[in-house]
Amino acid sequence: MMEYRSLGRTDLRVSSLGFGASPFGDAYGETHPEELNRAVACAIDHGINFFDVAPYYGLTLAETRLGAALQGRRDRVVLMTKFGRYGLDDFDFSAARLHKSIDESLARLKTDHVDILLAHDIEFGDMEQVVEETIPALEAIKKQGKTRFIGVSGLPLGVLMRAVETDKLDVVLSYCRYNLMIRDLDQHLTPVAKRHGSGLINASPLHMGLLTKKGPPDWHPAPAAVKKAAHAMEEYCASRGLSLPDVALRMALDYAPVATTLVGMSNVAEVERNIETLGSTTDPELFEDLRKIAGPSFNQIWESGRPENSDSLLLVPQA
Ligand code: NAD
């Protein structure tokens, strides 16, 4: 049974399992539009009502494909997209680009508004600009009715906390900071988001494909030791007749402060499998065994963004 949770200060109720559409841009291998359409239809039929995409995914391909798949179903979903990231090294968080970007996204998504609009990977921006220009510009887009709610996303937690502390964000998206490999979201961003009433979205419960049998895509930024540890975790689960992605998703779904956990999916089999995991049981001993197998690779994260936005400078170490 799908569970629905309130998303922070918004009036939205989102499915605890959310649909990440970055694979629609072929970031995890070639996908097929017909199968993507079937995956979206299957997800909605099973009660998934939260969809995330961005212009960056497949350099606009993912938005176009998701827009097509949502035709006739748009009113059944909470739709989130982003702005500000347009390539590996192509960022623009200016108000001028935002006004252009949202119109381009709406055209690709074939809708007159999105439900949530995020500034994408803000650690690559100048945080003065993000706070002084980007967030007020997002508020202006909200007033125009092109989005109902606004927020930011990124990898380092310090910049996300700073953005949330403006008290202007309805939601914040963090990825790769709360799953079987890492749990530092809980000490840092979670209490700040709660204090400010910003809905918390946790993405990448499979650590961007690392916690799967197939393993990570070539571009995965984790250090070699982390990849090796994930492989050992997979072998341990397999030796017990278990599938690591099932276990990893279960662990992430159990994290109550999060409104929705975003998993990347691109076919019906993945959607059905992940829907099944909603009804699975929690095994804290297994989580602990996997934590031990991860060893020193647990809670290790890679750098992302401008040096001045690094968590090594902005986060106060917790006891
Ligand atoms: P993820 O951890 O969800 O892993 C996705 C990979 O796991 C894909 O290869 C998918 O095919 C595979 N997968 C899914 N279910 C599976 C299953 N049951 N068994 C085996 N393999 C399975 O990583 P992600 O897709 O990068 O993250 C989820 C979503 O969150 C993204 O699609 C995107 O929408 C969002 N996200 C946003 C940001 C950001 O804003 N900066 C960053 C990361 C992710």
Side-chain angles (χ1 to χ4, degrees), residues 167-215:
D167 211 22
K168 292 175 178 163
L169 301 187
D170 304 307
V171 306
V172 58
L173 183 159
S174 157
Y175 72 99
C176 289
R177 303 306 284 247
Y178 195 96
N179 60 44
L180 279 178
M181 291 299 317
I182 185 161
R183 249 172 269 172
D184 62 356
L185 180 73
D186 192 49
Q187 298 146 13
H188 298 288
L189 182 61
T190 302
V192 177
K194 190 169 178 211
R195 199 157 60 239
H196 290 273
S198 302
L200 192 54
I201 297 164
N202 182 31
S204 312
L206 309 182
H207 221 45
M208 300 196 302
L210 202 71
L211 299 172
T212 64
K213 193 173 169 55
K214 188 178 167 198

Side-chain angles (χ1 to χ4, degrees), residues 15 46 62 71 73 98 108 123 152 160 177 235 255 257 262 274 284 292 303:
S15 49
H46 282 94
Q71 280 295 281
R73 303 187 176 98
L98 168 56
R108 285 189 289 267
E123 69 269 24
V152 300
L160 298 182
R177 303 306 284 247
E235 285 185 330
Y255 188 49
L262 274 177
N274 294 337
K292 284 186 194 134
E303 289 290 330

Side-chain angles (χ1 to χ4, degrees), residues 1-316:
M1 264 291 271
M2 186 61 73
E3 183 197 338
Y4 296 88
R5 299 181 185 168
S6 293
L7 185 61
R9 60 168 75 153
T10 77
D11 59 3
L12 301 172
R13 300 272 299 164
V14 291
S15 49
S16 57
L17 177 62
F19 196 119
S22 74
F24 284 35
D26 295 349
Y28 289 96
E30 195 187 348
T31 57
H32 304 282
E34 286 302 312
E35 185 59 20
L36 300 177
N37 293 347
R38 280 193 286 271
V40 168
C42 174
I44 294 173
D45 288 347
H46 282 94
I48 292 180
N49 76 347
F50 188 61
F51 285 77
D52 173 59
V53 71
Y56 172 51
Y57 302 151
L59 308 180
T60 72
L61 184 62
E63 277 192 338
T64 301
R65 286 173 158 181
L66 183 62
L70 286 176
Q71 280 295 281
R73 303 187 176 98
R74 166 69 185 95
D75 58 349
R76 294 174 67 187
V77 305
V78 172
L79 180 57
M80 179 162 88
T81 194
K82 315 193 186 77
F83 102 98
R85 181 165 205 173
Y86 303 100
L88 199 58
D89 298 310
D90 185 4
F91 296 89
D92 188 345
F93 294 102
S94 69
R97 186 68 184 95
L98 168 56
H99 284 275
K100 204 166 155 272
S101 190
I102 180 64
D103 288 342
E104 293 164 354
S105 288
L106 294 178
R108 285 189 289 267
L109 291 166
K110 298 190 198 307
T111 183
D112 62 355
H113 75 284
V114 289
D115 297 288
I116 308 172
L117 182 61
L118 305 182
H120 194 176
D121 291 344
I122 56 168
E123 69 269 24
F124 289 91
D126 167 359
M127 281 307 290
E128 291 310 314
Q129 183 189 33
V130 169
V131 170
E132 302 297 331
E133 180 179 343
T134 312
I135 295 176
L138 281 166
E139 290 183 299
I141 297 287
K142 190 172 164 178
K143 280 208 184 86
Q144 290 176 2
K146 292 179 182 175
T147 186
R148 294 189 62 214
F149 300 105
I150 60 169
V152 300
S153 76
L155 183 74
L157 298 174
V159 287
L160 298 182
M161 288 155 71
R162 180 157 176 219
V164 168
E165 277 161 358
T166 63
D167 211 22
K168 292 175 178 163
L169 301 187
D170 304 307
V171 306
V172 58
L173 183 159
S174 157
Y175 72 99
C176 289
R177 303 306 284 247
Y178 195 96
N179 60 44
L180 279 178
M181 291 299 317
I182 185 161
R183 249 172 269 172
D184 62 356
L185 180 73
D186 192 49
Q187 298 146 13
H188 298 288
L189 182 61
T190 302
V192 177
K194 190 169 178 211
R195 199 157 60 239
H196 290 273
S198 302
L200 192 54
I201 297 164
N202 182 31
S204 312
L206 309 182
H207 221 45
M208 300 196 302
L210 202 71
L211 299 172
T212 64
K213 193 173 169 55
K214 188 178 167 198
D218 294 346
W219 50 260
H220 201 294
V226 172
K227 292 180 180 167
K228 207 170 151 201
H231 184 64
M233 290 157 77
E234 200 281 322
E235 285 185 330
Y236 180 78
C237 283
S239 73
R240 298 181 55 169
L242 298 167
S243 156
L244 179 60
D246 295 350
V247 179
L249 181 56
R250 177 70 267 158
M251 182 267 178
L253 289 168
D254 283 343
Y255 188 49
V258 154
T260 185
T261 298
L262 274 177
V263 192
M265 295 180 274
S266 60
N267 56 60
V268 170
E270 282 176 353
V271 173
E272 287 181 340
R273 184 79 185 209
N274 294 337
I275 291 280
E276 245 174 68
T277 301
L278 291 169
S280 69
T281 48
T282 299
D283 182 347
E285 260 179 49
L286 176 62
F287 296 160
E288 200 38 47
D289 289 350
L290 292 169
R291 159 84 180 78
K292 284 186 194 134
I293 292 169
S297 290
F298 186 73
N299 270 358
Q300 292 297 319
I301 196 69
W302 51 92
E303 289 290 330
S304 170
R306 295 183 179 201
E308 71 267 26
N309 292 334
S310 168
D311 278 346
S312 61
L313 296 175
L314 299 180
L315 284 192
V316 181

